[in-house]
Amino acid sequence: MRVLLVEDDPMIGEAIQVALKDASYAADWVRSGLTALGALKGQHYDLVLLDLGLPGKDGLDVLRSLRAADNPVPLLIISARDGLDDRLQGLDGGADDYVLKPFQMAELLARMRAVLRRKSGHAAPVLGNGVVSLDPTTRQAQVRDEAPVQLSGREFALLQALLIRPGAILSRSELEDRIYGWGEEVESNAVEYLIHAIRRKLGADVIKNVRGVGWMVSKPV
Ligand code: CA
């Protein structure tokens, strides 16, 4: 999953970006409101983390512009502004959650998972299609009632991208988009390599290849 982090404080931004990558998100980091809006025009994001005090265009203005343009991207405000007014403006302005700084990274990641779950219409924290299930908190995958298997961060990110919409075919570039952020070098056969690794762990039939188009996991029956 690809996350846009909008944060002008270099230390906080760095810490959050590292934590996001450790948690297997593809994370792009921008430092101003205008850059954020530009990035959101050019790229699909699964979630936005938005600071409020930003140079130039304020975080609340960014939020307003996004929602006025009918962009439904899940968005969490991350701010040290703890006044009731700020929180109300943020939430009523279309944010899905409001996380007060300073926060523990584990809580931010849990709140992100909660928002993503609600937005995708999945009530259960574990994704699945009846054949394979995937737990976002542990990155363990399980095929039917076999023993759970640990996936690497990128194996997890790839399988998660497919399991969010079983039956939908994702192309190589769509998968790369969800696994790699800006500036991360993508080897030309990286997607095939990851799929090969997942199949070796979980069995060949877990991910289906649709020749010339991409890959999918089957719909639940
Ligand atoms: Ca700030």
Side-chain angles (χ1 to χ4, degrees):
M1 283 207 203
R2 196 164 181 134
V3 174
L4 182 67
L5 167 64
V6 192
E7 170 63 71
D8 63 324
D9 183 296
M11 279 176 62
I12 298 175
E14 174 83 35
I16 297 177
Q17 191 180 36
V18 167
L20 290 175
K21 287 188 176 168
D22 284 350
S24 312
Y25 291 98
D28 298 334
W29 174 20
V30 296
R31 292 150 180 85
S32 80
L34 280 178
T35 341
L37 288 174
L40 282 156
K41 274 200 189 107
Q43 168 77 49
H44 166 84
Y45 286 99
D46 298 292
L47 185 136
V48 176
L49 295 174
L50 179 67
D51 182 27
L52 291 184
L54 293 168
K57 204 171 169 74
D58 184 75
L60 283 175
D61 291 337
V62 173
L63 175 61
R64 273 186 218 109
S65 305
L66 271 181
R67 295 313 191 213
D70 217 17
N71 186 329
V73 65
L75 184 146
L76 283 79
I77 289 175
I78 45 170
S79 177
R81 293 186 195 164
D82 61 354
L84 181 61
D85 267 1
D86 290 306
R87 285 181 284 150
L88 293 181
Q89 276 190 56
L91 292 168
D92 286 335
D96 297 289
D97 201 354
Y98 194 110
V99 188
L100 268 182
K101 290 174 182 163
F103 47 75
Q104 295 292 317
M105 217 54 82
E107 184 180 356
L108 178 68
L109 293 170
R111 284 177 181 269
M112 288 170 60
R113 287 193 294 269
V115 165
L116 287 166
R117 210 156 57 221
R118 285 202 298 272
K119 285 273 183 160
S120 66
H122 297 289
V126 173
L127 291 169
N129 67 344
V131 176
V132 59
S133 61
L134 186 65
D135 186 338
T137 55
T138 61
R139 288 185 219 161
Q140 286 189 333
Q142 187 173 17
V143 176
R144 298 182 191 93
D145 46 11
E146 291 168 21
V149 177
Q150 191 64 48
L151 299 184
S152 76
R154 292 211 156 121
E155 291 163 5
F156 165 79
L158 189 149
L159 189 56
Q160 182 186 42
L162 293 173
L163 272 176
I164 286 170
R165 284 198 305 141
I169 302 167
L170 292 180
S171 69
R172 176 203 317 271
S173 70
E174 286 167 331
L175 285 169
E176 285 173 357
D177 252 18
R178 285 161 175 77
I179 303 172
Y180 300 95
W182 295 336
E184 290 186 272
E185 204 168 322
V186 190
E187 303 268 339
S188 61
N189 57 353
V191 165
E192 279 88 350
Y193 182 82
L194 286 171
I195 285 173
H196 177 73
I198 295 170
R199 283 175 168 160
R200 221 172 40 209
K201 289 182 178 178
L202 301 176
D205 57 342
V206 163
I207 297 177
K208 297 185 190 334
N209 178 224
V210 184
R211 194 167 285 280
V213 187
W215 294 269
M216 59 175 276
V217 293
S218 53
K219 269 191 191 166
V221 280

